[in-house]
Amino acid sequence: MKSTFTPALSRRGFLAGSAAAGAAFSLQPAWADTQRVFTLRAAPGRARLVPEPWGESDVWCYGGTVPGPEIRVRQGDRLRIAVENALEEDTTVHWHGLRVSNAMDGVPHLTQAPIAPGETFTYEFDAVDAGTFWYHPHQRSFEQVGRGLYGPLIIEEANPPRVDRELVWVLDDWRLTQEAEIDDSFGGFHDMSHGGRLGNTVTINGRVPGAEPVRAGERVRLRLINAANARIFALDFGELAPQVIALDGQPVTPHAPQDARGWVVIGPAMRVDLMLDMTGAPGETVTVIDRFFSDRNYELVDLTYSETPLRDAPPNWEMALAPNPLPEPDIGQARRHEVIFTGGMMGGMVERQMGLSGRGGMMGGGMMNRMHDGGIWFVNGVAAEGHILDPMLVLARDASHVIAMTNATAFHHPIHLHGHSFRVINRNGVPTAHHEWQDTVLMAPRERVEIAFVADNPGDWMFHCHILEHQAGGMMGVIRVA
Ligand SMILES: [Cu+2]
């Protein structure tokens, strides 16, 4: 089966992409002012994650499917989504990446009472930004998301770029038993203190993928969503030359993937929109390979060209997306804040190497951490327990802020801020090429990343690692905008 890890394939040369990048082309979107009503029922179910001869698997899911139903609206629509809880435990839904009001953010106890079994809670918010988003619980997410509770939420631009076809790939990584049931080892100490719950079976849209049919000359917009608890993907599209047009739903100047090897790196909870021109020949196959873990490369999916080309050469249509209405931070005037992440296996060693241990105070990760028994991961020396937390930072509303983050641990962390998108302005002191807007930024071990944004959305917002076992192990805080 496809999920079995296989040796890396050889590469067949590299064809240059044809796409010409251009400037954004549109003024403000036409606001549709339409109300869209949805119901999501969270319940146990059965899903076919792996092909025959394996059976179906017990899952928890929305609307009876994994992923849950795609919610697709136009920018400017108003959404009303009734969430019915048919699970045997409390739940909530968080609209990941959407800039909603605090009361609609879906964080149990912090922004709302959890939705008890048998109860319904109706969320209502505007689709302010166009882009690729997703929804998932924020209650015991390491297990609820891990059992299949998540779905795509697509907000279409008023004037989307021309493509032949659009694909949404929701990626997940499951730890299955030999009987194709979900292994119940959720929240184990080893997963929590290392890289999180890595699985053994990767799915696209809830199925181990077979082949994806494509046509020579075709242009596909591919919306990637990483719904895995912990797995980071580094997708190698072989001879294809994908262009990144949006990150975490937010438009970016179209560019080749920034990874030096051309791989599309996507941490948990992150989204990447790609333009993919099918530059191969009729009858060919291109295999997409995940190479993030160098000793565990595997073939994710085959793109198989039909015998009939769509056109002789890729189209030269404009790729750039119009920007979303995000307030621009004034980096020169911004107030600066320091955040340091510590803990985890081998964390003490990294802190010593970075010269951080033994100083005491906020920077003394090792010293502070020992004051909080039970936590595994620490944000400014504090390991969170539950969602009700004293704010670790209070940001003046409508002012610009820079948060300088240091990852003083031996692991990668995708760091997510609720309620805002932020510009990633530099990494290890080097300015980023595109100052990309993100809501989840992947930090490498020992990396220092600065983000900037206008704190224009009042309330108490979660700020946490999206490796869900790290979050459960304390890697979470609250940032108050007041
Ligand atoms: Cu983490």
Side-chain angles (χ1 to χ4, degrees):
M1 65 197 252
K2 269 287 177 204
S3 58
T4 306
F5 294 120
T6 55
L9 299 185
S10 61
R11 301 270 304 266
R12 281 173 295 176
F14 198 81
L15 300 183
S18 67
F25 56 84
S26 150
L27 302 173
Q28 281 293 93
W31 289 66
D33 195 23
T34 303
Q35 178 152 302
R36 302 287 307 277
V37 180
F38 302 88
T39 298
L40 285 178
R41 184 169 187 269
R46 299 273 290 169
R48 171 161 289 290
L49 304 174
V50 291
E52 306 275 3
W54 283 279
E56 296 186 332
S57 310
D58 283 323
V59 295
W60 298 352
C61 57
Y62 296 110
T65 62
V66 176
E70 179 182 281
I71 296 176
R72 183 177 282 261
V73 301
R74 297 286 295 280
Q75 187 174 21
D77 285 352
R78 186 159 185 84
L79 289 85
R80 259 182 83 89
I81 307 173
V83 175
E84 303 172 7
N85 183 6
L87 303 169
E88 289 178 357
E89 61 182 59
D90 290 351
T91 195
T92 64
V93 176
H94 170 59
W95 315 96
H96 188 114
L98 270 71
R99 298 187 293 140
V100 302
S101 68
N102 194 248
M104 295 292 117
D105 198 43
V107 179
H109 308 291
L110 186 72
T111 69
Q112 68 171 103
I115 310 170
E119 292 190 351
T120 296
F121 183 91
T122 299
Y123 295 87
E124 190 165 348
F125 50 85
D126 293 323
V128 176
D129 297 329
T132 303
F133 303 96
W134 67 299
Y135 58 89
H136 64 78
H138 224 281
Q139 170 80 13
R140 297 183 67 252
S141 343
F142 65 95
E143 180 166 359
Q144 293 195 3
V145 177
R147 289 191 182 277
L149 284 164
Y150 57 80
L153 199 168
I154 309 298
I155 302 177
E156 296 181 338
E157 300 87 9
N159 299 298
R162 185 173 174 192
V163 295
D164 294 307
R165 200 154 55 98
E166 180 179 311
L167 291 173
V168 180
W169 285 2
V170 186
L171 305 173
D172 198 3
D173 171 37
W174 307 78
R175 186 179 292 174
L176 299 182
T177 66
Q178 287 300 315
E179 291 73 45
E181 291 295 353
I182 296 173
D183 188 305
D184 1 317
S185 57
F186 286 100
F189 179 80
H190 185 276
D191 290 340
M192 289 175 75
S193 59
H194 289 73
R197 178 183 168 95
L198 294 170
N200 52 20
T201 305
V202 171
T203 56
I204 295 177
N205 299 336
R207 288 291 296 270
V208 171
E212 178 72 44
V214 301
R215 297 179 72 186
E218 185 181 34
R219 174 170 292 182
V220 173
R221 177 179 185 169
L222 176 58
R223 299 179 186 259
L224 294 168
I225 301 171
N226 184 353
N229 281 32
R231 182 174 291 279
I232 303 165
F233 297 88
L235 300 183
D236 179 351
F237 285 82
E239 68 188 32
L240 299 180
Q243 292 286 305
V244 177
I245 60 166
L247 293 165
D248 288 352
Q250 300 295 345
V252 65
T253 304
H255 63 273
Q258 294 198 304
D259 177 274
R261 298 146 296 193
W263 305 339
V264 178
V265 177
I266 177 169
M270 295 169 61
R271 290 86 63 214
V272 179
D273 282 36
L274 298 176
M275 286 294 196
L276 267 180
D277 282 329
M278 300 303 167
T279 46
E284 273 188 5
T285 296
V286 172
T287 302
V288 182
I289 300 170
D290 174 20
R291 298 189 187 274
F292 186 79
F293 296 101
S294 54
D295 56 339
R296 291 188 171 194
N297 295 338
Y298 65 94
E299 298 173 18
L300 175 66
V301 64
D302 285 337
L303 306 178
T304 54
Y305 287 80
S306 79
E307 296 296 338
T308 321
L310 183 65
R311 60 176 70 83
D312 292 338
N316 60 356
W317 305 326
E318 178 64 59
M319 282 188 189
L321 302 166
N324 282 317
L326 286 156
E328 188 63 46
D330 179 344
I331 292 167
Q333 297 294 314
R335 300 167 204 202
R336 291 184 58 87
H337 313 269
E338 291 278 339
V339 172
I340 183 166
F341 301 104
T342 55
M345 201 52 63
M346 299 172 289
M349 180 188 73
V350 175
E351 289 173 53
R352 282 192 298 279
Q353 288 169 346
M354 297 182 77
L356 297 169
S357 285
R359 288 193 201 166
M362 292 300 272
M363 294 299 286
M367 289 286 285
M368 285 289 286
N369 294 357
R370 283 196 289 277
M371 295 168 61
H372 300 268
D373 291 340
I376 298 171
W377 300 93
F378 304 85
V379 186
N380 284 353
V382 176
E385 285 183 76
H387 289 85
I388 310 172
L389 301 163
D390 289 331
M392 52 174 282
L393 295 176
V394 179
L395 305 184
R397 185 177 173 183
D398 294 329
S400 295
H401 299 270
V402 168
I403 300 181
M405 304 187 292
T406 302
N407 176 9
T409 81
F411 292 86
H412 284 79
H413 302 287
I415 301 298
H416 174 45
L417 174 64
H418 288 210
H420 301 78
S421 289
F422 48 77
R423 281 199 187 276
V424 180
I425 57 174
N426 64 57
R427 289 180 177 270
N428 292 327
V430 179
T432 53
H434 301 288
H435 279 203
E436 53 271 20
W437 291 104
Q438 303 227 231
D439 55 58
T440 308
V441 59
L442 185 62
M443 298 185 71
R446 300 175 179 77
E447 193 173 31
R448 190 173 162 82
V449 173
E450 292 191 348
I451 62 174
F453 61 102
V454 176
D456 64 342
N457 202 352
D460 281 359
W461 300 102
M462 298 307 304
F463 173 71
H464 65 90
C465 180
H466 224 288
I467 290 179
L468 300 176
E469 291 72 29
H470 293 177
Q471 180 189 8
M475 201 165 181
M476 178 163 73
V478 165
I479 291 181
R480 175 170 295 168
V481 175

